[in-house]
Amino acid sequence: MIRGIFIIGTDTGVGKTLISAGLLYLLLKKKYRAAYFKPVASGEVDIGGVKMSADAAFVKSVTGFSEDQKIVTPFSFADAVAPHLAARLAHRTIETAVIQKSLNDLKARYDVIIGEGAGGLAVPLNDEGYMQYDLIRELGFSCLLVARAGLGTINHTLLTLRVAKSVGLTVKGIIISGVGQTLIEQDNVGMIKKLSGVNAIFTLPAVVGVDTEKMHMENLRDVFEQTINIDDIMGLMEIV
Ligand SMILES: Nc1ncnc2c1ncn2[C@@H]1O[C@H](COP(=O)(O)OP(=O)(O)OP(=O)(O)O)[C@@H](O)[C@H]1O
Ligand SMILES: [Mg+2]
């Protein structure tokens, strides 16, 4: 029985990678056989002469998760641009069958899978309009939605939930990332709790100095240990 959840975001740069890394760290610490899976990734870094997805590199540095990058990121593109454009520039076609094969390889070796989307939810993966939400649905994942803490997040969160529902995706929980004590941030949490119709709402404080692009993790692991109960997240996961 393999369980999993797909981390989606209200936008690009909201904290999906940071949260994927933190959750995977907690799972591995609890001795779960857990894996990270980023089927479509834009933007690569050079690690000791080897190019790899910047997101996968950050997750690896936080968690130690080490796996064949062709399986973890079957479609990794050098250019940090939208997936359909990155694929076009690389003269490649994002194929669901290839992604499904990678997922099957992970399922054969792990018990828990943390998927990460690319950017927001309504993101095209090719020029014809095959969408990220189509992929997530076909792979059979339910979702955990990451939202910003600040101004604009109520709109982005409610819009994303509407789209998810309309395409047949289930959002099991929401993590609001970078919540501080300002009136706006505190009110955003309250309003999302009230209006989203999602029962499981988590908040993650701002972790000073964390920068996934620059590979600065600071005390991210401690903050996850102190603020997130991984059993609550496991409770949201479904069989994949
Ligand atoms: N809780 C937080 N505390 C501090 N910084 C945060 C937090 N959440 C997000 N950030 C900031 O947002 C940046 C982007 O986060 P991250 O790379 O996880 O976004 P993403 O949603 O994975 O983006 P992409 O769409 O590129 O995959 C981080 O480098 C960090 O600076
Ligand atoms: Mg990311």
Side-chain angles (χ1 to χ4, degrees), residues 85-137:
L85 180 57
R88 195 196 303 155
L89 293 172
H91 305 289
R92 291 182 74 190
T93 304
I94 294 170
E95 288 173 278
T96 310
V98 173
I99 292 170
Q100 185 70 65
K101 191 187 169 306
S102 284
L103 179 58
N104 290 344
D105 286 347
L106 290 176
K107 282 185 188 176
R109 291 210 289 284
Y110 298 91
D111 297 326
V112 183
I113 294 168
I114 302 283
E116 183 190 339
L121 186 58
V123 165
L125 299 181
N126 65 22
D127 292 345
E128 284 69 49
Y130 179 70
M131 303 295 279
Q132 170 152 257
Y133 48 66
D134 296 319
L135 173 69
I136 299 171
R137 197 184 48 228

Side-chain angles (χ1 to χ4, degrees), residues 9 11-20 36 38 42 55 58 116-120 146-147 176-179 204-214 216 220 223-224:
D11 196 2
T12 185
V14 294
K16 297 185 302 295
T17 300
L18 184 153
I19 283 167
S20 300
Y36 173 68
K38 172 104 183 181
S42 294
D55 282 8
F58 183 77
E116 183 190 339
V146 178
I176 307 170
S177 191
V179 178
L204 186 74
V207 190
V208 179
V210 171
D211 191 317
T212 54
E213 240 171 77
K214 295 193 180 125
H216 294 168
L220 182 65
V223 172
F224 267 82

Side-chain angles (χ1 to χ4, degrees), residues 141-153:
F141 280 90
S142 54
C143 302
L144 182 58
L145 174 62
V146 178
R148 283 196 185 94
L151 191 61
T153 204

Side-chain angles (χ1 to χ4, degrees), residues 115-194:
E116 183 190 339
L121 186 58
V123 165
L125 299 181
N126 65 22
D127 292 345
E128 284 69 49
Y130 179 70
M131 303 295 279
Q132 170 152 257
Y133 48 66
D134 296 319
L135 173 69
I136 299 171
R137 197 184 48 228
E138 280 175 57
L139 296 177
F141 280 90
S142 54
C143 302
L144 182 58
L145 174 62
V146 178
R148 283 196 185 94
L151 191 61
T153 204
I154 298 174
N155 171 51
H156 277 153
T157 302
L158 299 182
L159 286 174
T160 304
L161 292 171
R162 287 262 176 150
V163 170
K165 194 173 178 193
S166 75
V167 299
L169 277 181
T170 305
V171 176
K172 305 287 283 188
I174 300 173
I175 301 190
I176 307 170
S177 191
V179 178
Q181 295 304 318
T182 70
L183 176 61
I184 289 178
E185 289 163 343
Q186 290 295 318
D187 183 68
N188 279 340
V189 174
M191 291 305 279
I192 288 172
K193 279 186 179 161
K194 197 187 278 183

